[in-house]
Amino acid sequence: MVTKTPTVPGVFTRQSSGLVRSVGTLDAVYYGVMAITIAYMVFIVAAIPNYPGVSAEWSILITCVGAVALGIVYALFASVYPRSGGEYVFLSRTVHPLVGFVVSFEQTFWYAFYFGVNGAFFAIYGAAPLLTALGLQLNSTGLQNVGTWFTSGWGMFLTGSALVLLIGFAAYRGMGVYFRIQRWLGTIALGSVLLTILIFILGATGVLHFQQAYDSLAGSGAYDKVIAGATKLGQPLAWSTQLGPTLNFMIWPAFALFFSVNMVSFSGEIKNVRRGELIGIPGAMLVSAALMIALTYFARHAVGTNWLIAASTPGNALSIPLAPYLNNFAAILANNPLITILISFWVIFVIPFALGSNVIYGSRALFAWGLDGVAPNRLGDVSKQYHSPVVTIVVMAVAAEIALAIFAFTSWVAILSGLLGFVVAFLVVTLSGLAFPFQNRERFENSPAAIKVAGIPLLTIAAVVATPYLVFLIWRTFVDSTYGAAATISIVVNIVVFAAAIVWFFAARAYRKSRGVDVDRRYQQIPVE
């Protein structure tokens, strides 16, 4: 049906993008789950003490409703123009070229940032906990010291750099190779998550005993000392669930669940664009939310809610050098080196594909800019052998290294520094999707997005549901100080990036026009496939 979209012949200088449709629906689901990074649960749970009265499980469930609605908006909107490039492609064709470019520029900037920062997350939340836990269990000071090194500036930078190069190379080898690797490692990671949940279930039912295991590693009475330490700091431990803190906590599961939507960045490489994203995006969100809820619920009951809150309380020193992360709790509970290794796979194998989702989104956005002429033509180059946008992958890797260095060696940025930019972009897409079926009725009716429920476009229904979530999350990024969510530098950077995108767009268009190229004509048709 997309072929009915109006076209203007001769505005593109090539007949093919060079990309190929090699991604199946199951691969799309795997990608969505890995892009969500359920591995972020290791620090999501650590944030709980900052929200007295929160029910993390209810917060995840409520967030999932908004996430699925947003995912449906993205999947349907992208099906109108099934080409690689993310929001840029369909917003520039259905709303306005400037809107599409600014949203894409903002997103690409922050995806480049997290391409590097996720490398540091691998060191902090994957390698360091694994080696430190093994060091304690095997009475090896050397392993503990290596684990501590991974949390140092050079440990984060060198580990992250290696991961950026590795994932960048996998993306360069093409989507076929990348998704084969993802399928195997993703399966192992999901198995590791299920094993971790099983360990917590055994702890919750009394088969395993966390207090005994912790005291055996940290010394008699150490478990109770953690609770006593939090009490001295004034941390409330026992609380009844309250709606306010539960809603406020949503920025944490949202920071994970919403990012399955970046699957639209490679719409032009999905075999079945009707089914792949509409199943892949919401499906990945539902699977990930279920795993998150199970991890949180059974961990609380296995470890003890009071102790979990106490261990995660800022300033409360633990008796052993293990950070208050879920993978560490499971390792303590199992108290077995082999199981410690196995339950670490879900963090170690998931976070690299968070980097992968970042580089794929950014490289496809840059590629689409180059194809349309609002960026250098070289960005549109594609490897004939691997069908991957080589130049844009290199650009993303360089930007990632800069971001990684800033994160590792300065205190300028934090975990949630990019959340504001992402959520604003999501809101623009959602509001555009809300209006699209009515402002572009003919185009909508002749596209795969023309799905209706009781005569109302599903795209509109989903947008109506998602909008209040996004508005609320934007507000939270301005008032929530946990882990740098409301850092002033983040707000300033977003304003600068927004302004830079506007200047870039008009300067690029003027430059092309001076060379006899009318960029505006390219926005009147779907990009080459």
Side-chain angles (χ1 to χ4, degrees):
M1 296 183 193
V2 176
T3 55
K4 294 185 179 181
T5 301
T7 61
V8 179
V11 298
F12 289 103
T13 58
R14 60 208 244 192
Q15 299 300 312
S16 171
S17 69
L19 304 177
V20 296
R21 295 191 180 275
S22 59
V23 181
T25 300
L26 182 59
D27 285 329
V29 174
Y30 262 109
Y31 173 90
V33 172
M34 305 301 260
I36 283 173
T37 58
I38 50 177
Y40 284 5
M41 284 302 296
V42 297
F43 59 71
I44 289 177
V45 169
I48 288 177
N50 296 281
Y51 305 82
V54 64
S55 168
E57 295 92 334
W58 275 106
S59 187
I60 294 167
L61 183 61
I62 294 169
T63 305
C64 184
V65 175
V68 169
L70 177 67
I72 292 172
V73 170
Y74 262 77
L76 293 177
F77 214 166
S79 70
V80 179
Y81 286 103
R83 296 291 185 269
S84 293
E87 300 96 331
Y88 168 74
V89 176
F90 54 83
L91 288 181
S92 65
R93 268 70 182 178
T94 61
V95 182
H96 191 277
L98 178 62
V99 173
F101 184 78
V102 170
V103 169
S104 180
F105 192 94
E106 184 90 23
Q107 293 269 68
T108 301
F109 176 88
W110 287 113
Y111 277 121
F113 172 79
Y114 283 106
F115 181 24
V117 171
N118 270 299
F121 288 173
F122 177 87
I124 300 169
Y125 305 116
L130 169 60
L131 292 172
T132 304
L134 286 175
L136 286 168
Q137 292 169 347
L138 298 173
N139 295 315
S140 170
T141 303
L143 281 176
Q144 292 181 52
N145 290 338
V146 174
T148 301
W149 176 82
F150 275 104
T151 63
S152 68
W154 280 107
M156 288 186 283
F157 181 74
L158 294 177
T159 304
S161 296
L163 210 56
V164 165
L165 292 175
L166 180 64
I167 298 301
F169 179 73
Y172 159 71
R173 286 297 306 272
M175 296 294 267
V177 170
Y178 178 88
F179 276 98
R180 279 197 297 275
I181 297 173
Q182 177 189 261
R183 196 178 307 129
W184 283 104
L185 295 186
T187 300
I188 295 172
L190 290 175
S192 177
V193 174
L194 295 177
L195 176 60
T196 303
I197 293 172
L198 176 61
I199 295 297
F200 283 136
I201 290 174
L202 293 176
T205 55
V207 177
L208 298 175
H209 301 278
F210 184 83
Q211 183 172 353
Q212 293 178 12
Y214 187 80
D215 285 351
S216 70
L217 287 173
S220 178
Y223 181 94
D224 292 330
K225 287 179 182 178
V226 173
I227 295 177
T231 302
K232 288 180 181 179
L233 292 169
Q235 173 66 55
L237 300 179
W239 60 54
S240 58
T241 298
Q242 300 172 34
L243 180 61
T246 298
L247 295 178
N248 293 341
F249 188 75
M250 281 170 48
I251 60 172
W252 292 100
F255 186 61
L257 290 175
F258 280 22
F259 290 93
S260 177
V261 299
N262 65 20
M263 192 183 301
V264 302
S265 63
F266 54 92
S267 295
E269 296 153 89
I270 295 177
K271 295 177 182 178
N272 189 331
V273 74
R274 289 172 175 268
R275 184 180 63 187
E277 290 171 321
L278 192 55
I279 293 176
I281 296 176
M285 292 171 170
L286 291 169
V287 169
S288 298
L291 293 174
M292 288 179 176
I293 290 171
L295 280 167
T296 308
Y297 178 82
F298 290 113
R300 283 199 302 107
H301 287 79
V303 172
T305 300
N306 289 355
W307 192 90
L308 184 148
I309 295 170
S312 304
T313 299
N316 191 20
L318 303 185
S319 305
I320 51 178
L322 283 178
Y325 304 144
L326 279 181
N327 43 348
N328 279 335
F329 297 155
I332 293 170
L333 182 59
N335 201 18
N336 180 287
L338 176 59
I339 294 179
T340 294
I341 294 172
L342 295 177
I343 63 178
S344 297
F345 286 161
W346 65 282
V347 180
I348 289 175
F349 287 161
V350 170
I351 288 181
F353 292 100
L355 278 79
S357 69
N358 298 151
V359 69
I360 289 173
Y361 179 97
S363 64
R364 269 53 182 183
L366 292 168
F367 166 79
W369 302 353
L371 204 60
D372 277 342
V374 288
N377 291 334
R378 285 295 307 277
L379 295 181
D381 288 354
V382 173
S383 166
K384 293 182 179 180
Q385 181 177 5
Y386 300 121
H387 302 287
S388 60
V390 181
V391 177
T392 62
I393 291 173
V394 172
V395 170
M396 287 293 292
V398 171
E401 284 295 295
I402 295 171
L404 177 59
I406 292 173
F407 185 85
F409 298 115
T410 75
S411 59
W412 298 348
V413 293
I415 292 174
L416 292 185
S417 291
L419 182 61
L420 175 60
F422 285 130
V423 179
V424 169
F426 295 160
L427 180 61
V428 173
V429 172
T430 300
L431 294 176
S432 301
L434 179 65
F436 175 69
F438 309 103
Q439 291 184 340
N440 300 272
R441 185 178 299 276
E442 183 179 356
R443 191 173 301 172
F444 169 75
E445 295 292 349
N446 289 313
S447 75
I451 300 173
K452 297 182 180 180
V453 178
I456 304 174
L458 178 59
L459 180 56
T460 300
I461 296 172
V464 168
V465 174
T467 297
Y469 280 86
L470 297 170
V471 172
F472 177 77
L473 289 171
I474 290 172
W475 174 68
R476 287 305 303 171
T477 61
F478 281 97
V479 300
D480 194 317
S481 60
T482 306
Y483 299 162
T488 301
I489 192 170
S490 173
I491 297 171
V492 171
V493 168
N494 275 293
I495 293 173
V496 171
V497 171
F498 178 82
I502 296 174
V503 172
W504 179 310
F505 177 81
F506 285 111
R509 192 172 69 164
Y511 173 79
R512 292 294 184 184
K513 191 171 185 178
S514 70
R515 296 295 187 273
V517 178
D518 187 357
V519 172
D520 292 340
R521 293 186 66 211
R522 296 185 178 181
Y523 290 117
Q524 296 174 26
Q525 73 171 62
I526 190 169
V528 292
E529 184 171 11

PDB file of all heavy atoms in Angstrom, residues 227-235:
ATOM      1  N   ILE A 227      20.774  -3.240  58.470  1.00  0.00           N
ATOM      2  CA  ILE A 227      19.485  -2.630  58.808  1.00  0.00           C
ATOM      3  C   ILE A 227      19.673  -1.544  59.865  1.00  0.00           C
ATOM      4  O   ILE A 227      19.105  -0.449  59.766  1.00  0.00           O
ATOM      5  CB  ILE A 227      18.493  -3.703  59.297  1.00  0.00           C
ATOM      6  CG1 ILE A 227      18.171  -4.677  58.151  1.00  0.00           C
ATOM      7  CG2 ILE A 227      17.215  -3.061  59.825  1.00  0.00           C
ATOM      8  CD1 ILE A 227      17.256  -5.813  58.541  1.00  0.00           C
ATOM      9  N   ALA A 228      20.504  -1.827  60.861  1.00  0.00           N
ATOM     10  CA  ALA A 228      20.754  -0.840  61.914  1.00  0.00           C
ATOM     11  C   ALA A 228      21.417   0.412  61.351  1.00  0.00           C
ATOM     12  O   ALA A 228      21.107   1.540  61.760  1.00  0.00           O
ATOM     13  CB  ALA A 228      21.627  -1.455  63.007  1.00  0.00           C
ATOM     14  N   GLY A 229      22.320   0.226  60.385  1.00  0.00           N
ATOM     15  CA  GLY A 229      23.001   1.372  59.781  1.00  0.00           C
ATOM     16  C   GLY A 229      22.039   2.285  59.042  1.00  0.00           C
ATOM     17  O   GLY A 229      22.139   3.519  59.121  1.00  0.00           O
ATOM     18  N   ALA A 230      21.083   1.702  58.324  1.00  0.00           N
ATOM     19  CA  ALA A 230      20.094   2.503  57.600  1.00  0.00           C
ATOM     20  C   ALA A 230      19.167   3.233  58.568  1.00  0.00           C
ATOM     21  O   ALA A 230      18.782   4.387  58.335  1.00  0.00           O
ATOM     22  CB  ALA A 230      19.280   1.622  56.664  1.00  0.00           C
ATOM     23  N   THR A 231      18.834   2.573  59.680  1.00  0.00           N
ATOM     24  CA  THR A 231      17.970   3.196  60.684  1.00  0.00           C
ATOM     25  C   THR A 231      18.646   4.425  61.294  1.00  0.00           C
ATOM     26  O   THR A 231      18.014   5.466  61.492  1.00  0.00           O
ATOM     27  CB  THR A 231      17.626   2.183  61.793  1.00  0.00           C
ATOM     28  OG1 THR A 231      16.989   1.039  61.209  1.00  0.00           O
ATOM     29  CG2 THR A 231      16.693   2.815  62.816  1.00  0.00           C
ATOM     30  N   LYS A 232      19.956   4.325  61.562  1.00  0.00           N
ATOM     31  CA  LYS A 232      20.693   5.461  62.105  1.00  0.00           C
ATOM     32  C   LYS A 232      20.720   6.641  61.124  1.00  0.00           C
ATOM     33  O   LYS A 232      20.766   7.802  61.534  1.00  0.00           O
ATOM     34  CB  LYS A 232      22.127   5.040  62.426  1.00  0.00           C
ATOM     35  CG  LYS A 232      22.240   4.130  63.643  1.00  0.00           C
ATOM     36  CD  LYS A 232      23.690   3.765  63.902  1.00  0.00           C
ATOM     37  CE  LYS A 232      23.797   2.830  65.107  1.00  0.00           C
ATOM     38  NZ  LYS A 232      25.214   2.435  65.366  1.00  0.00           N
ATOM     39  N   LEU A 233      20.701   6.330  59.830  1.00  0.00           N
ATOM     40  CA  LEU A 233      20.694   7.381  58.809  1.00  0.00           C
ATOM     41  C   LEU A 233      19.304   7.976  58.601  1.00  0.00           C
ATOM     42  O   LEU A 233      19.132   8.887  57.795  1.00  0.00           O
ATOM     43  CB  LEU A 233      21.216   6.823  57.479  1.00  0.00           C
ATOM     44  CG  LEU A 233      22.703   6.443  57.447  1.00  0.00           C
ATOM     45  CD1 LEU A 233      23.020   5.669  56.169  1.00  0.00           C
ATOM     46  CD2 LEU A 233      23.577   7.699  57.540  1.00  0.00           C
ATOM     47  N   GLY A 234      18.314   7.440  59.297  1.00  0.00           N
ATOM     48  CA  GLY A 234      16.954   7.963  59.180  1.00  0.00           C
ATOM     49  C   GLY A 234      16.187   7.431  58.003  1.00  0.00           C
ATOM     50  O   GLY A 234      15.154   8.003  57.619  1.00  0.00           O
ATOM     51  N   GLN A 235      16.645   6.341  57.416  1.00  0.00           N
ATOM     52  CA  GLN A 235      15.962   5.756  56.261  1.00  0.00           C
ATOM     53  C   GLN A 235      14.745   4.955  56.718  1.00  0.00           C
ATOM     54  O   GLN A 235      14.891   3.992  57.474  1.00  0.00           O
ATOM     55  CB  GLN A 235      16.900   4.838  55.483  1.00  0.00           C
ATOM     56  CG  GLN A 235      16.252   4.056  54.356  1.00  0.00           C
ATOM     57  CD  GLN A 235      15.762   4.955  53.247  1.00  0.00           C
ATOM     58  OE1 GLN A 235      16.513   5.743  52.695  1.00  0.00           O
ATOM     59  NE2 GLN A 235      14.492   4.836  52.910  1.00  0.00           N
TER      60      GLN A 235
END
